[in-house]
Amino acid sequence: MYPTYLDAFNSGKLERLAEQAFGMLESCAICPRQCKVNRLKDQRGFCKTGSKAKVCSYMPHHGEEPPISGERGSGTIFFSHCNMSCVYCQNYEFSQAGEGREVGAADLAGFMLELQGMGCHNINLVTPTHVMPQILKALCIAVSKGLKIPLVYNTGGYELPEMIRLLDGIVDIYMPDMRYADPEMSKKYSHAPDYPKYNQASVKEMHRQVGIADMDDQGIIKKGLIIRHLVLPNHISGIAKIMKFIAQELLPEIYISLMSQYTPYYKAKDFADISRRVTLGEYEEAETIMHQNGLYNGWTQDSGGLERFAGVHIKSNIRKNDP
Ligand code: SF4
């Protein structure tokens, strides 16, 4: 059945999985931080989140990649806090400062159903890693009340592959970032020196589960992997290594979203190398590296969709007079 979680719900797997994942919060090691705090007793680890998920907002989002937002919007739920701590965080008010309110499983299920009722194409879970168990509990309730649109797992990509493996048969669409290739950079800018290792292993697992993007006849993604790469100034992200990894370890048909919108928010002004926006020259160089690896923004050239998607998510934030 589609979405894939309907089978898991009908077989009882979803409920068992939700219980299993929720139990892991007793000594939380569900992400690479391995804090081992008892979140069931509301102890807080790196992500500052206890037994309840905190939500900043939820709404139909029309600014995601075209296959995600479509005509009717993506039913986006922005979770507060994060297991990363990027000095340039673009969502720092809720991701780092924790704006939002704690909600129980029934409330979270209600948000999902409300978004479906608004006609959204999917439920887009933004920064879900640290609240995955809470999401599964809410999903059980929502499905029992008629939820039937796919989940988008929209993650910064600092994930344990074994936790992603648990989501096999639950999530249809993965949209991870691949932020860094170099541990020195991920340590300096996101306090996560092991990010590249876990990120690459997790993206491989996502790809194993859902494969390349499969679109319906309206161009809306039904299932598959979309990899986001935010171009950072001064080659901080290590795009050459990341594109090589994608081309060699995954498939050239992978849908890539090469993003130009980096803006030096939050503490970025304190770091000389990332204290400015990306130049047009840097973005074009990133595009060239991507193409040299046989990869393209959106669809591959061969699919004929390149023109349709390229340019939608890019360059709009680069000023015309940038060098
Ligand atoms: S989810 Fe939060 S508490 Fe659990 S290991 Fe990760 S950062 Fe630590």
Side-chain angles (χ1 to χ4, degrees):
M1 293 176 81
Y2 181 80
T4 189
Y5 59 66
L6 292 178
D7 281 332
F9 177 79
N10 290 333
S11 69
K13 174 186 163 185
L14 180 59
E15 196 172 350
R16 286 194 300 276
L17 188 61
E19 286 303 320
Q20 180 191 349
F22 211 76
M24 291 178 182
L25 296 178
E26 188 172 8
S27 176
C28 187
I30 68 170
C31 89
R33 299 276 177 202
Q34 302 283 295
C35 301
K36 307 272 177 70
V37 293
N38 188 344
R39 290 177 57 189
L40 297 179
K41 292 190 173 169
D42 276 335
Q43 290 173 1
R44 316 277 160 144
F46 188 93
C47 66
K48 302 188 186 80
T49 307
S51 61
K52 285 186 174 174
K54 203 185 222 189
V55 170
C56 175
S57 61
Y58 64 101
M59 61 181 183
H61 192 335
H62 295 276
E64 298 282 41
E65 284 75 353
I68 297 285
S69 281
E71 290 283 312
R72 305 193 302 272
S74 175
T76 305
I77 302 176
F78 291 95
F79 291 101
S80 307
H81 298 302
C82 184
N83 73 333
M84 294 181 74
S85 180
C86 304
V87 297
Y88 53 84
C89 182
Q90 316 283 291
N91 298 325
Y92 61 95
E93 292 98 338
F94 58 91
S95 198
Q96 302 301 312
E99 270 181 24
R101 71 179 171 95
E102 288 189 337
V103 295
D107 283 339
L108 190 49
F111 300 163
M112 294 176 183
L113 291 164
E114 213 178 306
L115 290 165
Q116 176 172 274
M118 292 177 193
C120 294
H121 298 285
N122 44 56
I123 299 295
N124 182 355
L125 305 160
V126 179
T127 321
T129 313
H130 60 301
V131 288
M132 187 270 268
Q134 291 88 340
I135 290 169
L136 292 177
K137 274 212 160 182
L139 187 63
C140 290
I141 299 170
V143 177
S144 74
K145 294 185 174 180
L147 189 76
K148 56 183 181 191
I149 53 177
L151 301 182
V152 181
Y153 196 84
N154 182 348
T155 168
Y158 190 38
E159 300 276 354
L160 286 176
E162 54 267 40
M163 296 306 294
I164 296 299
R165 213 164 291 131
L166 291 182
L167 298 176
D168 194 1
I170 308 294
V171 171
D172 281 297
I173 302 157
Y174 286 103
M175 191 158 65
D177 285 320
M178 291 193 84
R179 292 250 177 113
Y180 309 98
D182 181 348
E184 284 297 313
M185 296 298 125
S186 58
K187 180 181 177 190
K188 182 172 181 181
Y189 297 112
S190 294
H191 305 100
D194 49 7
Y195 178 93
K197 176 178 79 170
Y198 285 115
N199 177 245
Q200 291 180 8
S202 295
V203 170
K204 273 178 90 166
E205 171 58 20
M206 295 172 192
H207 179 249
R208 184 194 69 76
Q209 289 177 25
V210 298
I212 60 172
D214 179 16
M215 312 289 182
D216 68 13
D217 52 12
Q218 303 297 309
I220 307 299
I221 186 168
K222 294 189 300 186
K223 185 181 177 82
L225 175 65
I226 292 179
I227 294 176
R228 281 176 160 174
H229 181 76
L230 178 66
V231 181
L232 294 172
N234 293 305
H235 306 101
I236 298 292
S237 66
I239 184 172
K241 285 186 187 164
I242 289 174
M243 293 300 151
K244 193 172 171 192
F245 167 84
I246 295 171
Q248 291 186 348
E249 300 286 332
L250 308 178
L251 288 170
E253 291 84 7
I254 288 293
Y255 188 115
I256 295 176
S257 177
L258 190 70
M259 302 188 294
S260 69
Q261 63 260 51
Y262 174 75
T263 307
Y265 286 124
Y266 195 39
K267 300 175 183 170
K269 290 269 191 284
D270 300 337
F271 295 81
D273 280 349
I274 56 164
S275 60
R276 60 163 173 82
R277 291 161 66 170
V278 171
T279 65
L280 185 56
E282 284 174 323
Y283 187 82
E284 287 178 344
E285 185 187 353
E287 266 187 322
T288 300
I289 292 169
M290 182 171 63
H291 296 165
Q292 284 169 344
N293 282 278
L295 302 165
Y296 293 87
N297 221 356
W299 287 107
T300 63
Q301 262 184 331
D302 286 344
S303 75
L306 181 64
E307 282 189 6
R308 180 171 175 190
F309 293 119
V312 173
H313 225 63
I314 62 177
K315 294 186 182 169
S316 55
N317 282 5
I318 298 180
R319 293 160 297 191
K320 285 212 165 46
N321 57 354
D322 276 343

